[in-house]
Amino acid sequence: MTPASPANPIVEAPAPKPRRWVGPWALLGPPGLWLLLLLVLPVLVIFELSLVPGIKPGDLVNPSGIDNYLTVFQPIYLQVIGRTLFYAIGTTVVCLLLGFPVAYWLALMSPKRWQNLLLVAFTLPLWTSSLLRSYAWITILRPTGVLNSLLGLVGLPGLDILNQTPAVLLGMAYSFLPYMVLILYSSLEKLDRRLLEAAADLGATPIEAFWKVTVPQSLQGIAAGSLLVLITSLGDFVNPELLGGASSMTASRLIYNQFLGATQNWGFGSALSMLMILAVSLGIALLIRYGDGRPAA
């Protein structure tokens, strides 16, 4: 006789499944800790200092109000902020006007086999330091520089634009133009050329086709490139300092003076820094919202 099977056989429990949250946390943990230590905590320290009026190195940190933020609205500082915005907006407009034709030619008219090489050649200035590029423009624009020497050879009067607004805009546009071109190129490369052919078949002129077909399809690239150049221009320190002279004080230079200059007012410098961080964060939010690269609806 065979032995009877037990009434309640033992069933082995299934092996526990790994928790789903372990993988994402393992991937996000190290960069998250890095951002916390090097971004979030320093910003919180700056915000705390911005609430202490007149604090200097070695003083006790005792937040007591928003006096530093109210100081920003004095006319002399509003003039500096206005000049910073003027440089940033002017640079963005110049880069857009110069970069769109270049990006259009690279994406739609240049030979396919040369496009990658042309893009690399156009971004070559980014391989050098911004400081070296600014000194190169000083060599070109100074009264005895390359530009005035060439103008003298052809019998034209020299230009005195160094240490003035045109020199600053020229240097900043030269520095940030490749960013605009690269973003516009990636947008124009996806342009549906069948719509251009359809517009031509329906009797549209090239100008009408450009404004009614090309521009609407590249609005995402225009928004992304403009916001990127605007955000970067807001914090530019080198070009206004070297090409604009003492009369081109910007927010970046003003913040530098509060921390490392003779003024030594860390509270006011922190308040300015927080306002710059807020402006840049707003620009990044707009970039994420309107510059995601998807075709416009």
Side-chain angles (χ1 to χ4, degrees), residues 263-287:
T263 308
Q264 292 287 297
N265 187 347
W266 285 17
F268 180 57
S270 298
L272 283 171
S273 300
M274 288 304 302
L275 292 177
M276 289 285 289
I277 291 172
L278 180 62
V280 171
S281 300
L282 178 61
I284 292 175
L286 292 174
L287 181 62

mmCIF file of all heavy atoms in Angstrom, residues 263-287:
data_model
loop_
_atom_site.group_PDB
_atom_site.id
_atom_site.type_symbol
_atom_site.label_atom_id
_atom_site.label_comp_id
_atom_site.label_asym_id
_atom_site.label_seq_id
_atom_site.Cartn_x
_atom_site.Cartn_y
_atom_site.Cartn_z
ATOM 1 N N THR A 263 33.232 97.243 -1.829
ATOM 2 C CA THR A 263 31.970 97.478 -1.120
ATOM 3 C C THR A 263 31.761 96.486 0.014
ATOM 4 O O THR A 263 31.394 96.863 1.131
ATOM 5 C CB THR A 263 30.798 97.386 -2.113
ATOM 6 O OG1 THR A 263 31.049 98.227 -3.225
ATOM 7 C CG2 THR A 263 29.504 97.804 -1.434
ATOM 8 N N GLN A 264 31.963 95.210 -0.263
ATOM 9 C CA GLN A 264 31.837 94.150 0.746
ATOM 10 C C GLN A 264 30.480 94.195 1.456
ATOM 11 O O GLN A 264 30.388 94.299 2.684
ATOM 12 C CB GLN A 264 32.967 94.257 1.773
ATOM 13 C CG GLN A 264 34.340 93.931 1.230
ATOM 14 C CD GLN A 264 34.536 92.450 0.972
ATOM 15 O OE1 GLN A 264 34.489 91.644 1.886
ATOM 16 N NE2 GLN A 264 34.755 92.093 -0.276
ATOM 17 N N ASN A 265 29.414 94.147 0.692
ATOM 18 C CA ASN A 265 28.054 94.089 1.242
ATOM 19 C C ASN A 265 27.425 92.793 0.769
ATOM 20 O O ASN A 265 26.755 92.751 -0.263
ATOM 21 C CB ASN A 265 27.239 95.301 0.798
ATOM 22 C CG ASN A 265 25.893 95.376 1.481
ATOM 23 O OD1 ASN A 265 25.450 94.433 2.111
ATOM 24 N ND2 ASN A 265 25.242 96.524 1.370
ATOM 25 N N TRP A 266 27.645 91.727 1.522
ATOM 26 C CA TRP A 266 27.194 90.413 1.100
ATOM 27 C C TRP A 266 25.673 90.302 1.070
ATOM 28 O O TRP A 266 25.113 89.554 0.265
ATOM 29 C CB TRP A 266 27.773 89.341 2.026
ATOM 30 C CG TRP A 266 29.220 89.075 1.783
ATOM 31 C CD1 TRP A 266 30.103 89.882 1.096
ATOM 32 C CD2 TRP A 266 29.962 87.943 2.217
ATOM 33 N NE1 TRP A 266 31.347 89.318 1.080
ATOM 34 C CE2 TRP A 266 31.299 88.123 1.763
ATOM 35 C CE3 TRP A 266 29.651 86.807 2.951
ATOM 36 C CZ2 TRP A 266 32.296 87.197 2.022
ATOM 37 C CZ3 TRP A 266 30.647 85.882 3.220
ATOM 38 C CH2 TRP A 266 31.954 86.069 2.744
ATOM 39 N N GLY A 267 24.995 91.022 1.943
ATOM 40 C CA GLY A 267 23.542 90.951 1.967
ATOM 41 C C GLY A 267 22.921 91.486 0.690
ATOM 42 O O GLY A 267 22.047 90.847 0.085
ATOM 43 N N PHE A 268 23.385 92.658 0.260
ATOM 44 C CA PHE A 268 22.864 93.241 -0.966
ATOM 45 C C PHE A 268 23.269 92.407 -2.175
ATOM 46 O O PHE A 268 22.471 92.191 -3.100
ATOM 47 C CB PHE A 268 23.364 94.676 -1.119
ATOM 48 C CG PHE A 268 22.885 95.366 -2.353
ATOM 49 C CD1 PHE A 268 21.540 95.483 -2.619
ATOM 50 C CD2 PHE A 268 23.792 95.898 -3.271
ATOM 51 C CE1 PHE A 268 21.084 96.118 -3.778
ATOM 52 C CE2 PHE A 268 23.351 96.525 -4.418
ATOM 53 C CZ PHE A 268 21.999 96.632 -4.665
ATOM 54 N N GLY A 269 24.509 91.921 -2.178
ATOM 55 C CA GLY A 269 24.938 91.054 -3.270
ATOM 56 C C GLY A 269 24.121 89.771 -3.334
ATOM 57 O O GLY A 269 23.794 89.283 -4.423
ATOM 58 N N SER A 270 23.751 89.221 -2.182
ATOM 59 C CA SER A 270 22.924 88.014 -2.155
ATOM 60 C C SER A 270 21.520 88.295 -2.673
ATOM 61 O O SER A 270 20.922 87.464 -3.365
ATOM 62 C CB SER A 270 22.861 87.456 -0.732
ATOM 63 O OG SER A 270 24.150 87.081 -0.273
ATOM 64 N N ALA A 271 20.974 89.479 -2.323
ATOM 65 C CA ALA A 271 19.646 89.841 -2.827
ATOM 66 C C ALA A 271 19.667 89.968 -4.348
ATOM 67 O O ALA A 271 18.753 89.483 -5.038
ATOM 68 C CB ALA A 271 19.184 91.142 -2.187
ATOM 69 N N LEU A 272 20.692 90.597 -4.895
ATOM 70 C CA LEU A 272 20.820 90.687 -6.345
ATOM 71 C C LEU A 272 20.959 89.298 -6.968
ATOM 72 O O LEU A 272 20.373 89.011 -8.015
ATOM 73 C CB LEU A 272 22.026 91.547 -6.710
ATOM 74 C CG LEU A 272 21.880 93.062 -6.579
ATOM 75 C CD1 LEU A 272 23.234 93.731 -6.757
ATOM 76 C CD2 LEU A 272 20.888 93.595 -7.591
ATOM 77 N N SER A 273 21.731 88.444 -6.303
ATOM 78 C CA SER A 273 21.911 87.086 -6.816
ATOM 79 C C SER A 273 20.590 86.327 -6.834
ATOM 80 O O SER A 273 20.295 85.600 -7.799
ATOM 81 C CB SER A 273 22.931 86.335 -5.961
ATOM 82 O OG SER A 273 24.189 86.984 -5.975
ATOM 83 N N MET A 274 19.785 86.475 -5.798
ATOM 84 C CA MET A 274 18.498 85.787 -5.760
ATOM 85 C C MET A 274 17.576 86.280 -6.863
ATOM 86 O O MET A 274 16.840 85.488 -7.473
ATOM 87 C CB MET A 274 17.845 85.991 -4.396
ATOM 88 C CG MET A 274 18.506 85.228 -3.256
ATOM 89 S SD MET A 274 18.615 83.440 -3.535
ATOM 90 C CE MET A 274 16.895 83.014 -3.780
ATOM 91 N N LEU A 275 17.602 87.578 -7.138
ATOM 92 C CA LEU A 275 16.780 88.102 -8.224
ATOM 93 C C LEU A 275 17.258 87.574 -9.572
ATOM 94 O O LEU A 275 16.437 87.261 -10.451
ATOM 95 C CB LEU A 275 16.803 89.630 -8.207
ATOM 96 C CG LEU A 275 16.114 90.287 -7.009
ATOM 97 C CD1 LEU A 275 16.263 91.797 -7.068
ATOM 98 C CD2 LEU A 275 14.631 89.912 -6.961
ATOM 99 N N MET A 276 18.581 87.455 -9.745
ATOM 100 C CA MET A 276 19.108 86.878 -10.985
ATOM 101 C C MET A 276 18.714 85.409 -11.113
ATOM 102 O O MET A 276 18.332 84.933 -12.197
ATOM 103 C CB MET A 276 20.630 87.025 -11.009
ATOM 104 C CG MET A 276 21.126 88.442 -11.200
ATOM 105 S SD MET A 276 20.931 89.012 -12.907
ATOM 106 C CE MET A 276 22.194 88.039 -13.715
ATOM 107 N N ILE A 277 18.789 84.669 -10.000
ATOM 108 C CA ILE A 277 18.395 83.258 -10.017
ATOM 109 C C ILE A 277 16.924 83.127 -10.371
ATOM 110 O O ILE A 277 16.524 82.244 -11.146
ATOM 111 C CB ILE A 277 18.700 82.610 -8.647
ATOM 112 C CG1 ILE A 277 20.216 82.509 -8.432
ATOM 113 C CG2 ILE A 277 18.057 81.233 -8.550
ATOM 114 C CD1 ILE A 277 20.606 82.056 -7.045
ATOM 115 N N LEU A 278 16.098 84.026 -9.817
ATOM 116 C CA LEU A 278 14.670 84.001 -10.126
ATOM 117 C C LEU A 278 14.423 84.281 -11.604
ATOM 118 O O LEU A 278 13.608 83.606 -12.254
ATOM 119 C CB LEU A 278 13.940 85.022 -9.263
ATOM 120 C CG LEU A 278 12.422 85.133 -9.471
ATOM 121 C CD1 LEU A 278 11.746 83.806 -9.138
ATOM 122 C CD2 LEU A 278 11.847 86.254 -8.618
ATOM 123 N N ALA A 279 15.129 85.271 -12.155
ATOM 124 C CA ALA A 279 14.954 85.607 -13.576
ATOM 125 C C ALA A 279 15.396 84.455 -14.468
ATOM 126 O O ALA A 279 14.713 84.105 -15.444
ATOM 127 C CB ALA A 279 15.738 86.876 -13.902
ATOM 128 N N VAL A 280 16.536 83.843 -14.134
ATOM 129 C CA VAL A 280 17.026 82.720 -14.939
ATOM 130 C C VAL A 280 16.092 81.517 -14.809
ATOM 131 O O VAL A 280 15.822 80.810 -15.796
ATOM 132 C CB VAL A 280 18.457 82.358 -14.518
ATOM 133 C CG1 VAL A 280 18.910 81.060 -15.178
ATOM 134 C CG2 VAL A 280 19.419 83.483 -14.885
ATOM 135 N N SER A 281 15.581 81.270 -13.609
ATOM 136 C CA SER A 281 14.650 80.149 -13.417
ATOM 137 C C SER A 281 13.384 80.354 -14.231
ATOM 138 O O SER A 281 12.850 79.400 -14.823
ATOM 139 C CB SER A 281 14.308 80.006 -11.930
ATOM 140 O OG SER A 281 15.469 79.761 -11.160
ATOM 141 N N LEU A 282 12.903 81.599 -14.273
ATOM 142 C CA LEU A 282 11.732 81.887 -15.094
ATOM 143 C C LEU A 282 12.031 81.640 -16.571
ATOM 144 O O LEU A 282 11.210 81.076 -17.305
ATOM 145 C CB LEU A 282 11.295 83.333 -14.873
ATOM 146 C CG LEU A 282 10.088 83.819 -15.704
ATOM 147 C CD1 LEU A 282 8.856 82.989 -15.388
ATOM 148 C CD2 LEU A 282 9.814 85.295 -15.439
ATOM 149 N N GLY A 283 13.227 82.061 -17.015
ATOM 150 C CA GLY A 283 13.614 81.810 -18.403
ATOM 151 C C GLY A 283 13.715 80.326 -18.713
ATOM 152 O O GLY A 283 13.293 79.873 -19.783
ATOM 153 N N ILE A 284 14.252 79.540 -17.774
ATOM 154 C CA ILE A 284 14.357 78.098 -17.988
ATOM 155 C C ILE A 284 12.976 77.455 -18.046
ATOM 156 O O ILE A 284 12.717 76.548 -18.853
ATOM 157 C CB ILE A 284 15.213 77.465 -16.875
ATOM 158 C CG1 ILE A 284 16.670 77.932 -17.006
ATOM 159 C CG2 ILE A 284 15.147 75.944 -16.938
ATOM 160 C CD1 ILE A 284 17.558 77.466 -15.883
ATOM 161 N N ALA A 285 12.058 77.937 -17.181
ATOM 162 C CA ALA A 285 10.687 77.414 -17.221
ATOM 163 C C ALA A 285 10.031 77.692 -18.571
ATOM 164 O O ALA A 285 9.357 76.830 -19.138
ATOM 165 C CB ALA A 285 9.872 78.021 -16.082
ATOM 166 N N LEU A 286 10.239 78.898 -19.095
ATOM 167 C CA LEU A 286 9.702 79.221 -20.417
ATOM 168 C C LEU A 286 10.372 78.385 -21.501
ATOM 169 O O LEU A 286 9.723 77.976 -22.472
ATOM 170 C CB LEU A 286 9.901 80.712 -20.698
ATOM 171 C CG LEU A 286 9.073 81.676 -19.837
ATOM 172 C CD1 LEU A 286 9.477 83.114 -20.121
ATOM 173 C CD2 LEU A 286 7.586 81.485 -20.083
ATOM 174 N N LEU A 287 11.678 78.128 -21.337
ATOM 175 C CA LEU A 287 12.397 77.300 -22.312
ATOM 176 C C LEU A 287 11.852 75.886 -22.334
ATOM 177 O O LEU A 287 11.674 75.280 -23.396
ATOM 178 C CB LEU A 287 13.886 77.300 -21.977
ATOM 179 C CG LEU A 287 14.807 76.511 -22.908
ATOM 180 C CD1 LEU A 287 14.761 77.092 -24.310
ATOM 181 C CD2 LEU A 287 16.235 76.529 -22.377
#
